[in-house]
C-alpha cells in the first residue's frame, strides 16, 4: 500500500471510529509500528487528527462543544437520532453513553419531553442542559481526557445502583460473532455497567460500522434489544440482526 493510500485509510478509520489504536492499524495495513507512528505524526502536523499515546483521535471526538459542521456522516446520524427519539416517552429514566450520534439525539429531543437523562459524557451533558424540561444526572468520577467521559470504579458503582428504562449506546462496531465491540478499555467497562443496569439496550450506529469489530467486547449480540442505523429496517445488511431476534429501526 502506497503512503498516500495508507494515510487515507488511517484518516477514514479515525473519522469512522473517532479513535484508532496504532497496534490495530499495524495489523490492518500490515506495516511496522514505526511506519504507523510516522504516518500519525505527519497527519497530526497537517492538522488532520490528534496523535495520542498508542493511537490517534479525530478532532470532533476531542471537542467538548461539538460544532454542527465537520462531524463524520452527520446527516446519517441525524436520521438515527430521530428514530431513537421515537422510543423515548415522558417519565423515563434514560442512560446514555457519549459520541456524536448521541449528541445529535440530545440536540433533537422534543421541547415538551419530561424525562430524566443520565450520562457521564461531558459534551452530551452540556447538550442535555440546554433542554427546558428534562432532568439531568451527571455520573461522576475521573474524566478520561481522550473520550471526555467519566470513567472508573465510582462511575461504574453509581450506574449499578440504577435501573434505567432504556440505555442508548453509541457504538464503535457490531457484528453477529463478536457482538458490540470497542477499542477503549475504560469506556467498555462503563458500557457494560450501563447494559446491566437497563431494561432495554439500544445500539445506535451508522451502517458503515455494521459487520465490523474492534479488539474489546462490550457485550454479546444477545444483550441488544434494538439496533438503529440510518438504513431502512428491511435493508439486506440488517436482516441477519432481525433473524437474531433484534428489533431493527
Amino acid at each position: 500500500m502506497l503512503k498516500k493510500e495508507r494515510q487515507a485509510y488511517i484518516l477514514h478509520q479515525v473519522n469512522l471510529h473517532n479513535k484508532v489504536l496504532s497496534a490495530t492499524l499495524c495489523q490492518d495495513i500490515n506495516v511496522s509500528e514505526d511506519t504507523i507512528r510516522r504516518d500519525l505524526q505527519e497527519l497530526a502536523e497537517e492538522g488532520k487528527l490528534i496523535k495520542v499515546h498508542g493511537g490517534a483521535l479525530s478532532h470532533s471526538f476531542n471537542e467538548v462543544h461539538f460544532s454542527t459542521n465537520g462531524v463524520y456522516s452527520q446527516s446519517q446520524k441525524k436520521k438515527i437520532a430521530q428514530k431513537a427519539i421515537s422510543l423515548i416517552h415522558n417519565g423515563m429514566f434514560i442512560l446514555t453513553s457519549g459520541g456524536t450520534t448521541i449528541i445529535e439525539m440530545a440536540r433533537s429531543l422534543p421541547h415538551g419531553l419530561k424525562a430524566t437523562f443520565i450520562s457521564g459524557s461531558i459534551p452530551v451533558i452540556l447538550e442535555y442542559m440546554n433542554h427546558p424540561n428534562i432532568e439531568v444526572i451527571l455520573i461522576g468520577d475521573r474524566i478520561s481526557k481522550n473520550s471526555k467521559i467519566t470513567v472508573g470504579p465510582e462511575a461504574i458503582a453509581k450506574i449499578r445502583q440504577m435501573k434505567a428504562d432504556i440505555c442508548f449506546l453509541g457504538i464503535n462496531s457490531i457484528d453477529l460473532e463478536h457482538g458490540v465491540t470497542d477499542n477503549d478499555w475504560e469506556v467498555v467497562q462503563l458500557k457494560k455497567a450501563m447494559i446491566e443496569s437497563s431494561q432495554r439496550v439500544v445500539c445506535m450506529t451508522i451502517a458503515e460500522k455494521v459487520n465490523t469489530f474492534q479488539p474489546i467486547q462490550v457485550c454479546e449480540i444477545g444483550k441488544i434489544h434494538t439496533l438503529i442505523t440510518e438504513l431502512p429496517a428491511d435493508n439486506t445488511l440488517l436482516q441477519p440482526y432481525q433473524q437474531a431476534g433484534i428489533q431493527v429501526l
Side-chain angles (χ1 to χ4, degrees):
M1 188 181 289
L2 297 174
K3 177 180 175 181
K4 188 175 180 180
E5 296 172 320
R6 193 173 64 238
Q7 292 191 355
Y9 176 84
I10 292 170
L11 278 176
H12 181 256
Q13 292 302 305
V14 170
N15 285 327
L16 181 61
H17 296 295
N18 294 317
K19 176 184 177 182
V20 293
L21 302 177
S22 298
T24 302
L25 291 172
C26 292
Q27 187 175 21
D28 290 348
I29 306 175
N30 194 26
V31 294
S32 70
E33 205 168 312
D34 285 340
T35 299
I36 292 298
R37 191 180 297 112
R38 286 193 298 269
D39 283 340
L40 293 179
Q41 186 61 44
E42 285 185 23
L43 291 168
E45 289 172 357
E46 293 169 8
K48 295 178 179 178
L49 53 73
I50 300 166
K51 189 174 182 292
V52 296
H53 178 69
L57 303 174
S58 71
H59 280 287
S60 64
F61 188 65
N62 196 54
E63 295 295 325
V64 173
H65 294 280
F66 284 80
S67 67
T68 55
N69 300 314
V71 174
Y72 185 73
S73 297
Q74 188 174 28
S75 62
Q76 290 95 320
K77 291 174 181 178
K78 285 180 180 292
K79 290 180 183 178
I80 295 167
Q82 290 302 319
K83 291 182 183 182
I85 287 169
S86 70
L87 301 174
I88 300 173
H89 307 293
N90 286 335
M92 277 187 166
F93 278 74
I94 300 160
L95 267 169
T96 70
S97 68
T100 50
T101 307
I102 299 290
I103 287 172
E104 290 296 342
M105 183 184 76
R107 288 173 172 167
S108 304
L109 293 173
H111 277 220
L113 178 67
K114 295 181 179 179
T116 300
F117 283 77
I118 308 155
S119 184
S121 168
I122 305 304
V124 170
I125 286 290
L126 291 174
E127 293 296 335
Y128 289 151
M129 286 172 61
N130 292 327
H131 194 282
N133 293 310
I134 66 172
E135 294 292 330
V136 185
I137 297 175
L138 172 64
I139 300 162
D141 203 336
R142 180 174 59 84
I143 295 176
S144 166
K145 291 182 179 179
N146 287 344
S147 59
K148 303 293 185 292
I149 195 167
T150 55
V151 294
E154 186 177 337
I156 290 170
K158 286 181 178 178
I159 291 169
R160 286 179 174 159
Q161 293 172 7
M162 301 173 184
K163 198 62 183 175
D165 294 296
I166 192 167
C167 171
F168 289 99
L169 293 179
I171 62 172
N172 241 335
S173 295
I174 183 172
D175 73 339
L176 291 173
E177 181 182 355
H178 303 91
V180 177
T181 52
D182 207 308
N183 57 20
D184 188 312
W185 174 262
E186 290 186 311
V187 172
V188 165
Q189 306 317 305
L190 202 70
K191 288 181 176 180
K192 284 178 179 288
M194 288 182 173
I195 290 167
E196 293 169 4
S197 298
S198 303
Q199 295 182 49
R200 183 176 183 180
V201 178
V202 179
C203 291
M204 302 163 63
T205 180
I206 57 174
E208 196 174 350
K209 296 182 183 180
V210 174
N211 294 338
T212 69
F213 67 94
Q214 297 282 306
I216 311 169
Q217 187 183 62
V218 177
C219 70
E220 297 176 351
I221 203 74
K223 294 279 189 179
I224 302 164
H225 299 95
T226 306
L227 173 63
I228 304 178
T229 75
E230 77 277 15
L231 299 176
D234 60 358
N235 187 281
T236 54
L237 178 72
L238 304 175
Q239 286 178 4
Y241 295 88
Q242 291 179 321
Q243 292 165 6
I246 298 171
Q247 178 192 31
V248 174
L249 297 180

